[in-house]
Amino acid sequence: MPTPTKYSRFFSSIHQSILQIITDGGYKWTQAYYIESMFSWLDEFSRDLKSIKRSGAFADKNELDQIGNEPIYTISTFEETYGYKMDVSKILTSSLKSFFKEKGLQRFDKFQNCYIIVFSNKTTRYALSTNGHYSDPDFYGTANVVIEDLKRIIPTSDTLDLDKHKEKIMECLSLSYSSHESYSEEKRREIGEKIYSQYGIYGLLYLVLFYSLNGNMPENTDNTSAVKGNKPNIFMASKKYIEDTDAKLERCVGAEKIIMVCYAGTTFLANDTVSTAYKYDFFNYYKNLIDKAEMHIALVDPQSPFVEEMVRYKMKPRTLINNVDMKGLINENIRWLLRLMKISRKSRINLYFVDFSMTLSYFQCIYPENKRENDNIKVDLYLPNFAEYSTDENGRHFLPEDKMADAELRQSFVVKRSSELYDVFNTNIQDILNNSRRVITDSKIENEYKEIIEKIENGEY
């Protein structure tokens, strides 16, 4: 077993104490389950867990009962070596146990092509990136949401009253990680008491979780005067990375309204009839959403002069299906939308035409009033793409590997209602809809657009 670091002793001391409170209260939690549950609110960490779980690494075999004693592998190299895939649950268990005692909560390492390297007890080559610990979130900006999460994860019961353990939880703030001694013990306790009086016992628990990340305390003890902008408030990455690792179903399941603002909507509509770069399961996913949520879709008018700009600079998937007419892409997507309207008896589709150039796209999920904390907006930046298509011997159009396609060039991020940015983007989305022309209302074509829609459907527009 590798020697624990100073930081891991600090981290483990805090969480061994809290885990003991929880297990004494009747919860049969392992260290691995504890870490996965208690830090589920930490977006970076949750994103890494999802990346492993959705990697397709599930196995039917039982050869990995002692995965902690295996050499370190990537998911891909393990399969190449042994001929079968890793068991994801064992990867997580091994990694999270190591998080707990040997290194503390530090980052999973991203390897080439986003494969994940796992922890191993046999070697000191840990799966750590040079970035070190996960970064602190905005404590005061996220406190109310995290507290509600913690209440669901460890609800008060007859056998577990966290308030009775206030002093033991408070003692966790007395521990000090040697590299982070900005606050005296007295100051940490003072902040703990203020958080307890303001947010209660679950707020104090969140403060301890926050503190354990890397020994920092929230920068301001008064959320009304907290300085904005001194902490990262979003995670931005390529469109491909966000779509591969961010679970759309988790963002949208149960939403009562979906708003999509974009040039053409190809990802969800025409999809793999345009390019093999698009995933058919995105279309299926969107088709299921249409049966369950009110849909508002704003596309650029197919006859707008901005379509030329879209084709030249904004729509560059890695490959194109032979003979695809990119200038007719918006019409093709509208035809797919009309097909979905016909096969769905429950659809409430609203289509808008906009007459301005798009600089970004929005995908917004809005929940019922009692679940508004789940509201979120995915933003894709339309960076101009100057790559030119080449043609292979079969006439297939493709972008060379040394050129970036949309999936790599476009940068994306998800904004949640708890972020101060949410209102900015939400207002902009509403302004766009209010200043667009409504073509379809609740799956009924507006009279003035019936002729145009008929021409689009017949390929004449």
Side-chain angles (χ1 to χ4, degrees), residues 250-264:
E250 291 185 15
R251 284 199 294 110
C252 299
V253 65
E256 64 178 8
K257 182 186 291 187
I258 305 291
I259 301 177
M260 187 170 76
V261 178
C262 56
Y263 254 115

Side-chain angles (χ1 to χ4, degrees), residues 187-224:
K187 184 65 174 177
R188 289 194 293 272
R189 175 168 281 274
E190 178 187 337
I191 293 175
E193 291 290 355
K194 284 185 177 180
I195 295 300
Y196 179 75
S197 64
Q198 185 174 354
Y199 294 105
I201 192 64
Y202 284 96
L204 179 61
L205 178 59
Y206 176 34
L207 177 68
V208 171
L209 297 177
F210 181 101
Y211 173 60
S212 71
L213 281 177
N214 53 31
N216 289 336
M217 296 289 280
E219 293 191 3
N220 208 297
T221 57
D222 179 6
N223 64 339
T224 61

